[in-house]
Amino acid sequence: MKENILIFSTKRLAVRRFRAEDAELLYRYSGEPDKKEIPTEVYDSLEATKRELDLVIANYRIMHFPFRYAIVLKEENRLIGDLSFKRLPDYNTQINIKIADEYQRKGYGTEVLKASAEYAKVRLGLDRVYALVKADNAAGRGMVEKADFLLEKEFEKDWFGVKAPVCRYII
């Protein structure tokens, strides 16, 4: 099986399957302060990151949700984040994007979010695609709105053990 399968690309970014070699950067990025808010994406060690990537890579063989992919900056051929598609109970999909701190505020998140929504609708055949953002995350909300998602509703959600106001966007 090819490990470096390209899923889609944009002007500056490539979205591809993760490879075992991505573990070190993924581990480093997971420890960044803004990632601590999402504890399921923070790894205790490089070994834990490698185990998680082994599961992600094995999942490519069965093509089962959630799909998780590497976001790579073409110019540097460097991992800068990750993207996942999570199946929702209504059979639509939620897109989750994380960009490493040093690559934020450069438009990469918006660029990959727009392309991801297109991919989900065209290639995965989904009618609706959602993005969930904490209500107090102004940068995240701005990114989602720049990617042409529309605010569907605001509600309170259990956010990793803490009740928090969130915004659900749809495209």
Side-chain angles (χ1 to χ4, degrees):
M1 179 185 78
K2 294 181 183 177
E3 286 188 19
N4 195 21
I5 294 178
L6 180 68
I7 306 305
F8 62 85
S9 65
T10 67
K11 182 179 177 182
R12 302 178 295 169
L13 305 170
V15 173
R16 63 161 170 78
R17 290 180 174 184
F18 272 106
R19 300 182 306 223
E21 300 83 39
D22 294 325
E24 191 172 321
L25 279 176
L26 190 62
Y27 171 60
R28 190 177 99 204
Y29 294 156
S30 85
E32 294 174 340
D34 69 330
K35 308 302 182 287
K36 301 254 186 243
E37 184 176 292
I38 306 173
T40 60
E41 302 301 327
V42 176
Y43 303 106
D44 295 333
S45 67
L46 181 55
E47 283 63 40
T49 309
K50 288 178 180 177
R51 284 192 303 274
E52 172 68 17
L53 270 187
D54 285 345
L55 292 172
V56 168
I57 292 166
N59 195 35
Y60 296 142
R61 291 186 181 99
I62 58 173
M63 293 305 291
H64 186 272
F65 278 98
F67 299 135
R68 189 166 174 203
Y69 300 113
I71 301 170
V72 177
L73 184 60
K74 288 180 184 177
E75 184 178 279
E76 299 176 17
N77 191 28
R78 181 179 177 87
L79 176 74
I80 66 164
D82 68 284
L83 156 74
S84 66
F85 295 98
K86 177 185 174 189
R87 177 70 81 183
L88 299 174
D90 67 1
Y91 294 100
N92 286 293
T93 297
Q94 178 177 306
I95 296 175
N96 302 302
I97 294 173
K98 289 175 289 310
I99 302 291
D101 288 351
E102 66 187 282
Y103 294 96
Q104 289 181 6
R105 293 170 188 49
K106 296 176 182 353
Y108 298 134
T110 302
E111 187 175 323
V112 79
L113 184 57
K114 277 184 177 184
S116 299
E118 172 89 5
Y119 175 83
K121 287 185 166 208
V122 173
R123 297 293 305 267
L124 300 178
L126 301 170
D127 292 330
R128 290 176 289 207
V129 180
Y130 299 102
L132 197 65
V133 182
K134 279 184 72 178
D136 64 357
N137 181 349
R141 291 182 70 175
M143 176 189 73
V144 171
E145 290 166 5
K146 286 178 194 167
D148 300 325
F149 278 70
L150 299 173
L151 179 63
E152 182 186 53
K153 66 179 179 177
E154 293 186 41
F155 60 100
E156 197 164 274
K157 176 180 175 40
D158 184 347
W159 194 271
F160 304 102
V162 177
K163 290 278 188 196
V166 297
C167 300
R168 185 164 99 168
Y169 290 85
I170 186 170
I171 193 166

